[in-house]
Amino acid sequence: MRKSLIAAVALAVNFFPAAIASGQTLTLKVSATLLGLNQKWAAAYQLKHSGAAIQVTADGTTAAFAALAGKTVDLVIVSRSMRYKEAQACEAVFSQRPPEFKVAVSGLAVYVNASNSVKVLTYDELAAIFQGQTRNWKELDGGKNQAVSVYAQATNSVHGELFNEEVLNGRGFSAAAQPVAGPDLLKTVAADPAAIGFGALAPAEGVRPLSIKRVYSSTPVNPSADNIARRIYPISRYVYSYSNPAAQPEAIKAYLDWIRSDEGQQVAREAGFYALPAILRSNQ
């Protein structure tokens, strides 16, 4: 189902880092949910450089790693880290693991209506709610006797993919979960006293973000921008890049250095992501 929702999208953008000779093309494949971010990175980079080309195609993350192992792209930017079998496939081709860099942070907040008395939820409690096993707020600590209204973003969206993979281990949402687009999430939750949903961290009247615990014994963490960027808040993860070790190393380095610079990280913020802490940009 998820694969059927993800269509390959191609985007060609011109840019010219000093390391690329005129006429060369740097080829990238990115996770489909990261296309918007990469469009913004490429467009911002284009403002200062011209004369050569970067070609970006978007597909599933697994397909991006397959393209890297197949040596059909120079660089992939993906929504999760490389898995063991994917690393094995690349090492068989390159005789080494592809260079890995963290390039941004993705995160979300879980919201309830401001009138809801529940303050903290664990991953297991969230999974039970979004998979239809918990149907009344009274089943949760501090909850009222009220049926739960569940709102979920599609798994081919940035936040839907993150929630599904991080909290639900890829099991997906129950049929009772009502679909909602990201821009509508906050007003939907504000209008429904029984609502729970997730989306971008943003201030809004009528809603309250929950503190989250990975497991029951964990310390609850509230979803602040700093907690997400530093990966203290659980429902967050890095955005990664992996490169072909033999393909245009100077061109790849030039582009990744810019992405990880203050300027590139500001573009990530404007696209709804979070900037890497400075220490992670200086020690890689």
Side-chain angles (χ1 to χ4, degrees):
M1 178 68 178
R2 180 173 179 272
K3 289 183 179 179
S4 67
L5 293 173
I6 299 178
V9 184
L11 169 72
V13 183
N14 291 328
F15 78 100
F16 181 76
I20 300 180
S22 180
Q24 283 186 310
T25 299
L26 186 65
T27 58
L28 277 70
K29 188 175 284 290
V30 306
S31 297
T33 54
L34 300 180
L35 180 62
L37 170 61
N38 280 276
Q39 285 176 321
K40 291 180 185 298
W41 268 334
Y45 198 71
Q46 180 186 6
L47 291 176
K48 292 191 173 182
H49 307 87
S50 61
I54 181 169
Q55 185 182 58
V56 181
T57 56
D59 207 334
T61 300
T62 300
F65 284 125
L68 184 62
K71 299 194 289 187
T72 60
V73 294
D74 300 323
L75 178 70
V76 299
I77 297 179
V78 288
S79 56
R80 62 165 172 82
S81 60
M82 180 176 280
R83 294 171 179 160
Y84 177 71
K85 288 186 177 180
E86 292 162 342
Q88 276 190 315
C90 288
E91 287 169 6
V93 173
F94 303 128
S95 299
Q96 68 177 84
R97 185 183 174 93
E100 172 192 286
F101 289 93
K102 299 176 181 73
V103 295
V105 178
S106 178
L108 60 80
V110 179
Y111 294 97
V112 294
N113 187 276
S115 66
N116 196 318
S117 52
V118 172
K119 307 292 184 184
V120 180
L121 290 177
T122 67
Y123 271 28
D124 284 347
E125 289 169 331
L126 286 170
I129 291 169
F130 281 86
Q131 293 183 315
Q133 289 132 24
T134 296
R135 300 184 180 183
N136 194 299
W137 283 107
K138 70 179 181 180
E139 299 173 54
L140 301 162
D141 187 24
K144 302 173 184 177
N145 184 9
Q146 186 177 41
V148 181
S149 299
V150 181
Y151 297 93
Q153 297 185 47
T155 55
N156 67 335
S157 67
V158 172
H159 297 123
E161 179 188 56
L162 173 58
F163 192 94
N164 181 45
E165 294 183 359
E166 174 63 28
V167 179
L168 306 182
N169 291 317
R171 296 188 297 267
F173 304 103
S174 76
Q178 302 173 67
V180 61
D184 299 326
L185 184 278
L186 293 176
K187 65 181 181 182
T188 299
V189 174
D192 184 349
I196 185 170
F198 57 83
L201 178 63
E205 292 186 6
V207 303
R208 178 168 47 78
L210 295 174
S211 293
I212 302 298
K213 300 197 293 186
R214 190 177 293 276
V215 296
Y216 185 78
S217 59
S218 301
T219 300
V221 183
N222 68 294
S224 69
D226 185 60
N227 285 344
I228 292 173
R230 293 166 59 202
R231 298 289 322 282
I232 297 171
Y233 176 74
I235 313 178
S236 61
R237 63 181 177 183
Y238 294 116
V239 177
Y240 292 88
S241 73
Y242 294 88
S243 57
N244 179 338
Q248 306 190 65
E250 291 183 353
I252 292 170
K253 183 179 186 303
Y255 194 55
L256 289 178
D257 283 351
W258 178 83
I259 284 176
R260 288 158 52 84
S261 71
D262 289 346
E263 186 178 12
Q265 293 297 288
Q266 179 58 33
V267 172
R269 288 191 191 94
E270 292 168 359
F273 292 78
Y274 297 84
L276 288 171
I279 190 170
L280 291 182
R281 291 187 268 152
S282 63
N283 65 3
Q284 284 191 301

